Amino acid sequence: MRRIACLLTVLIMLLVSCSTETGKDVVLLDTGWKFSTGDDMTWGNPSFNDSGWDNINPMETWEKQGHKKYDGFAWYRIRQVIPRSMIKTAFLKDSIIFRLGKIDDCDQVFLNGALIGENGTTMAMNSLPSADFNKIWGKWDLNRNYVLSVNDPRIQWDKENVIAVRVFDFSGPGGMFSQPFEIAMPGLKDYVRFDLTSSPYDFEGENILKKNIVIKNISGKNEFKGNLVIRAVEQEGGIGLYTEKTGIDLTPGLIIDKQISFKTSFDKAVNLFICFTEATTGKQICDTVDVPRILTPKPPKGPRITGAKVFGVRPWSPFQFKVTATGEGRLKYTALDLPAGLKINEDDGVITGVLKKKGEFIVKLKVENHLGFCERDLKIVVGDVISLTPPLGWNSWNCWGLSVSDEKIRQSADAMKSSGLSDHGWTYINIDDGWEYMHDKDGNILTNSKFPNMRALCDYVHSLGLKIGIYSSPGRKTCGGYEGSLGFEEKDVQHYAAWGIDYLKYDWCSYSEVAPDPTPEQLKYPYQVMRRALRNVNRDIHYSLCQYGMGDVWKWGASVDGNSWRTTGDIEDTWESLSLIGFSQDKCSPYSAPGRWNDPDMLVVGRVGWGPSLHNTRLTPEEQYTHITLWSLLASPLLIGCDLTQLDAFTLSLLTNDEVLAVNQDPLGKQAIQVKKTGEYEIWIRDLEDGSKAVGLFNKTEKAMNIPVEMKALTLDGKCQMRDLWVQKDLGQVCRHFEMKTWPHGARLIRLSK
Ligand code: GAL
């Protein structure tokens, strides 16, 4: 039985991988491109002589081909015969598609001198070229597919055609860089679309999973009849959990939104497959996704104290620390041995006051509910260094981008509380770029109309027991083109302090106008200026350096009193970005310490978007386990980047595992080191305060694999107790060697103690 099920899975996988349709109905545009920087609208004309232009490979950005650091306009041109015979062999004969891959950042495409499309959207046939490109984030990541009718007079069948691409690059890499480059007749995949990712998974009761699946025919003309198969299969053993086979008639424009539901235990790895087979041709289009597994157990009903075990504060600074805890019903918070000058609010656990002298205090926290009580020590360190554990919070950028507003910040703070996240230690609500207006004639920083009253907003966030962060740049402008702090540092910080800001992200960006090729001293300088300003106000403000790792910032971030520093460029919600950033952090490990954190950028789980419209993260569920596991081991600030008002059960489970978060918050503050790296897997290990070790096993392949672990390589010998932190279960004793199963791009997180 098990065997048959396995065979079935393999068969389905084969079908999935067979779904690409290629044939004589495709003309490749991989080679033959000409290129010039600059801009001249006559370069779109077919008669223009481009023989003096450079050759260029469309697979690589122009930076990699002799145009280092070039931002601005550039043109690509190619000549290509389009054979009419393509139509004959094609399955669908009414239109033709120009596929030009991804283009960084914006493009306009001309066919024989006439505009056929721009910016990655299919354009109305006669639209005129826009005078310039709007700055729209994220366009670089769209596949350019420009569709024309086969009767379009702009196509020269059986003759040479000239395709000219006008590109504008705002910053970073520029130009064409990603396949496919081709002219093709459309296939089933261009019209029949599945959506397995937009709707959330509903985990009902103990074991019913519900999910909406959308099947669309986006063609306005073509009808497709055939068979639809939907299957849910448990990965281990290939056990079928759900099968549906139906004949369907996809009439033009039809959208089918159907719910499937099946029985499963929520911690099992399950694949969902969907296939449509067109009846007359047998052509097939398939898709598959991993169903998220929920590993985090529900917190106990009795009280449990969560969050940081150590808190740093400077003498005389206003003290705010919220004791966080889970538990059913009303919780009562008390603290024994609180130093003079502090008091705790019994209802919400917020400790406030002022401590005037340097020193260390151990406070005995107690949280009670109707089922019992729980106690834990909190160490308070009054000294120069704050943020003794990495900040846990949320930041607006990966979610709202520049469309952030007062209302969205309030909603996020409310959701931080109502979702229960704040009960697990999540504290900061950080406003990223997009709040600034200008400095007035007296040098006061003014907020823009989206933030009518910053002081009231900060008060509101504090009233929920949370903290609030803000963003600025040492340059004239921020990355988003808003007002920066250059020349106004002292005054800006006075405003931040008066408003009640607790966190500052300070983003290099247009400081490159001041220091285009910065020396090591120039890299530090603007951060020293801001550091002085921060020390001149009577408020503890977490100082987050954002300059993408330039000059190995991890080596000197502490010398400018940074509490954290970005070690990389911006993260994206893809495996490429996540794994490239995450697995390259070993070099920074020696420099991490309490109050001095390496920051590999914010989290990309949940619904993200960098602007007004959001999408579910493109990371698979297992990749999201890798993300949280690795970032916890790296002692990274954890800043959630998704819309907190739309958290689904899976995302919430990822962010509320107290044993995983305890690794991130471990008071020893030592970042994990990489102890094993092969092409297929990695093992990272982190020393914890109680002498135990947190170990992360990461599968970098696309297949499930057992990762072998030699205890010697972990500098552990002899018997150890092993605990699986995601499921919060003891796994017994291990001695010299053990193996653990990991899913594709997935992770395991265990703790080993003597
Ligand atoms: C980038 C930074 C992002 C975000 C953005 C705002 O430089 O890395 O995290 O802050 O600027 O414009």
Side-chain angles (χ1 to χ4, degrees):
M1 181 62 200
R2 220 176 147 96
R3 242 182 146 163
I4 296 175
C6 278
L7 279 174
L8 203 74
T9 315
V10 172
L11 199 71
I12 295 171
M13 302 283 250
L14 279 175
L15 287 178
V16 172
S17 56
C18 289
S19 64
T20 41
E21 303 158 82
T22 43
K24 290 198 184 106
D25 43 6
V26 175
V27 174
L28 294 180
L29 300 175
D30 287 1
T31 53
W33 289 92
K34 294 288 206 174
F35 175 78
S36 172
T37 54
D39 189 36
D40 182 334
M41 294 313 282
T42 65
W43 293 352
N45 294 341
S47 57
F48 174 73
N49 181 0
D50 57 23
S51 59
W53 283 16
D54 293 343
N55 296 322
I56 195 157
N57 172 5
M59 285 292 286
E60 303 275 16
T61 60
W62 63 55
E63 268 78 5
K64 291 200 175 153
Q65 300 178 79
H67 300 276
K68 230 180 153 191
K69 286 194 173 174
Y70 178 73
D71 300 329
F73 282 102
W75 285 71
Y76 292 73
R77 286 169 57 98
I78 193 168
R79 292 163 196 279
Q80 181 62 54
V81 174
I82 309 179
R84 197 179 272 282
S85 58
M86 285 174 76
I87 306 180
K88 224 186 231 164
T89 52
F91 161 48
L92 300 166
K93 301 178 189 297
D94 58 340
S95 43
I96 184 165
I97 307 180
F98 293 78
R99 298 191 215 273
L100 300 175
K102 294 177 180 176
I103 298 179
D104 199 333
D105 287 292
C106 297
D107 64 300
Q108 288 176 323
V109 179
F110 300 85
L111 178 65
N112 302 318
L115 183 78
I116 58 166
E118 58 183 352
N119 264 342
T121 46
T122 303
M123 295 301 294
M125 294 304 169
N126 297 319
S127 83
L128 295 166
S130 54
D132 212 332
F133 294 105
N134 292 322
K135 185 164 186 173
I136 309 169
W137 293 97
K139 284 284 180 194
W140 66 270
D141 200 26
L142 287 177
N143 269 309
R144 270 54 171 182
N145 294 325
Y146 298 115
V147 184
L148 298 188
S149 153
V150 288
N151 301 320
D152 192 299
R154 290 170 293 188
I155 308 168
Q156 304 278 318
W157 291 105
D158 292 325
K159 289 191 192 131
E160 188 177 82
N161 289 255
V162 175
I163 303 166
V165 186
R166 181 186 184 222
V167 178
F168 187 79
D169 177 39
F170 294 108
S171 60
M176 300 173 77
F177 67 98
S178 147
Q179 279 177 320
F181 312 110
E182 61 187 33
I183 304 170
M185 300 301 292
L188 211 52
K189 69 173 186 296
D190 293 298
Y191 293 130
V192 177
R193 300 274 167 85
F194 303 128
D195 184 354
L196 302 180
T197 53
S198 293
S199 75
Y201 291 83
D202 254 333
F203 298 85
E204 273 196 8
E206 288 306 307
N207 56 4
I208 301 289
L209 192 71
K210 289 190 174 166
K211 167 78 180 157
N212 274 58
I213 292 178
V214 176
I215 304 129
K216 292 185 207 172
N217 175 5
I218 63 163
S219 166
K221 285 189 203 144
N222 300 295
E223 177 174 1
F224 305 102
K225 289 187 184 167
N227 282 313
L228 184 74
V229 178
I230 303 174
R231 256 188 239 281
V233 181
E234 216 168 77
Q235 285 194 40
E236 200 135 30
I239 299 157
L241 302 175
Y242 180 87
T243 306
E244 177 180 338
K245 292 181 188 169
T246 26
I248 54 169
D249 180 359
L250 296 172
T251 51
L254 184 71
I255 298 177
I256 302 172
D257 188 346
K258 62 187 286 122
Q259 189 179 67
I260 63 163
S261 75
F262 55 89
K263 256 189 160 175
T264 172
S265 63
F266 297 150
D267 58 348
K268 287 269 159 59
V270 173
N271 284 133
L272 195 61
F273 301 99
I274 182 164
C275 264
F276 171 72
T277 312
E278 202 275 330
T280 51
T281 57
K283 280 185 189 293
Q284 198 167 55
I285 165 153
C286 301
D287 200 359
T288 173
V289 285
D290 293 344
V291 174
R293 301 181 295 142
I294 301 227
L295 301 179
T296 304
K298 292 232 155 46
K301 293 184 176 169
R304 181 156 82 181
I305 301 178
T306 61
K309 292 181 181 154
V310 55
F311 181 67
V313 65
R314 295 198 185 102
W316 291 100
S317 293
F319 188 107
Q320 185 184 331
F321 178 84
K322 183 172 163 29
V323 180
T324 56
T326 56
E328 195 179 73
R330 213 180 81 82
L331 302 178
K332 182 180 162 200
Y333 302 81
T334 47
L336 216 70
D337 300 335
L338 261 188
L342 298 185
K343 61 176 193 315
I344 184 164
N345 180 326
E346 286 199 350
D347 296 324
D348 62 12
V350 178
I351 304 176
T352 49
V354 174
L355 294 173
K356 298 176 186 163
K357 283 202 190 114
K358 288 190 176 175
E360 290 190 9
F361 305 90
I362 302 290
V363 177
K364 296 219 168 311
L365 305 174
K366 184 173 183 183
V367 179
E368 296 164 73
N369 73 358
H370 64 284
L371 292 166
F373 69 92
C374 120
E375 291 176 317
R376 197 165 96 175
D377 286 353
L378 169 70
K379 184 168 163 187
I380 296 174
V381 183
V382 193
D384 283 331
V385 185
I386 58 166
S387 299
L388 298 182
T389 61
L392 294 179
W394 173 89
N395 170 294
S396 57
W397 183 251
N398 291 356
C399 178
W400 302 118
L402 295 173
S403 71
V404 62
S405 65
D406 176 290
E407 198 190 351
K408 287 187 171 123
I409 294 296
R410 282 171 195 257
Q411 286 167 354
S412 309
D414 288 342
M416 182 76 106
K417 207 160 175 213
S418 61
S419 65
L421 278 173
S422 59
D423 299 337
H424 296 269
W426 297 93
T427 303
Y428 289 92
I429 294 288
N430 291 353
I431 310 165
D432 206 278
D433 202 357
W435 63 270
E436 316 85 335
Y437 176 40
M438 60 183 277
H439 289 95
D440 69 10
K441 63 177 182 8
D442 300 318
N444 299 306
I445 179 72
L446 305 178
T447 57
N448 62 40
S449 57
K450 294 184 295 160
F451 288 86
N453 187 337
M454 201 57 107
R455 174 67 207 253
L457 178 59
C458 293
D459 285 349
Y460 181 71
V461 172
H462 289 143
S463 75
L464 302 174
L466 303 173
K467 295 190 173 185
I468 184 160
I470 210 160
Y471 165 100
S472 190
S473 169
R476 227 170 26 85
K477 293 278 169 215
T478 65
C479 296
Y482 285 77
E483 183 86 345
S485 289
L486 186 63
F488 298 98
E489 296 83 356
E490 289 282 340
K491 249 198 151 149
D492 282 4
V493 173
Q494 283 161 17
H495 283 281
Y496 303 159
W499 293 336
I501 292 294
D502 306 296
Y503 188 116
L504 172 67
K505 172 173 173 183
Y506 206 43
D507 191 354
W508 177 269
C509 240
S510 75
Y511 196 79
S512 55
E513 288 171 7
V514 181
D517 275 311
T519 60
E521 282 320 304
Q522 283 175 318
L523 281 174
K524 282 185 199 166
Y525 180 72
Y527 289 99
Q528 285 160 340
V529 172
M530 182 47 95
R531 188 259 178 190
R532 263 197 303 277
L534 286 167
R535 280 307 185 94
N536 284 342
V537 294
N538 184 32
R539 191 167 182 87
D540 288 354
I541 298 179
H542 176 103
Y543 189 23
S544 153
L545 279 46
C546 176
Q547 45 85 290
Y548 339 113
M550 286 186 294
D552 294 352
V553 62
W554 45 92
K555 295 183 181 159
W556 54 265
S559 75
V560 298
D561 209 10
N563 297 115
S564 58
W565 39 82
R566 278 269 298 276
T567 56
T568 72
D570 287 19
I571 195 167
E572 284 165 21
D573 56 326
T574 62
W575 172 249
E576 291 68 32
S577 170
L578 174 78
S579 54
L580 196 72
I581 291 178
F583 294 128
S584 65
Q585 296 300 306
D586 195 42
K587 57 184 183 293
C588 315
S589 291
Y591 306 94
S592 164
R596 313 293 184 201
W597 309 111
N598 291 308
D599 174 4
D601 207 2
M602 302 175 287
L603 302 180
V604 280
V605 301
R607 283 182 74 71
V608 292
W610 292 269
S613 54
L614 304 180
H615 60 265
N616 285 335
T617 177
R618 290 172 292 170
L619 297 177
T620 67
E622 295 305 317
E623 289 166 356
Q624 296 178 63
Y625 276 116
T626 291
H627 193 10
I628 305 298
T629 303
L630 188 51
W631 264 236
S632 295
L633 284 164
L634 294 175
S636 163
L638 296 182
L639 293 172
I640 303 170
C642 67
D643 182 0
L644 295 182
T645 67
Q646 294 190 61
L647 284 170
D648 58 84
F650 170 66
T651 312
L652 200 59
S653 80
L654 278 174
L655 300 172
T656 53
N657 192 309
D658 297 317
E659 296 199 17
V660 174
L661 291 174
V663 171
N664 174 267
Q665 293 290 299
D666 187 73
L668 193 60
K670 269 199 138 189
Q671 177 176 324
I673 54 166
Q674 187 184 47
V675 287
K676 180 97 187 174
K677 179 189 170 113
T678 75
E680 297 188 319
Y681 68 90
E682 299 206 4
I683 303 177
W684 289 65
I685 182 163
R686 177 172 174 179
D687 290 341
L688 302 177
E689 197 198 28
D690 66 357
S692 64
K693 294 181 190 259
V695 183
L697 314 181
F698 300 95
N699 175 353
K700 297 192 286 187
T701 75
E702 317 238 317
K703 289 196 195 113
M705 74 179 295
N706 284 327
I707 297 187
V709 183
E710 301 304 329
M711 296 286 275
K712 259 209 176 125
L714 305 185
T715 61
L716 279 168
D717 229 350
K719 276 187 208 149
C720 270
Q721 296 294 337
M722 174 148 81
R723 185 166 171 86
D724 184 325
L725 298 185
W726 276 107
V727 298
Q728 301 181 0
K729 277 196 184 127
D730 288 331
L731 300 179
Q733 275 192 350
V734 282
C735 293
R736 284 197 193 91
H737 170 95
F738 65 95
E739 285 196 359
M740 286 196 112
K741 178 144 195 173
T742 47
W743 297 111
H745 293 179
R748 300 292 295 264
L749 181 61
I750 54 172
R751 208 182 63 219
L752 293 171
S753 40
K754 287 278 176 197

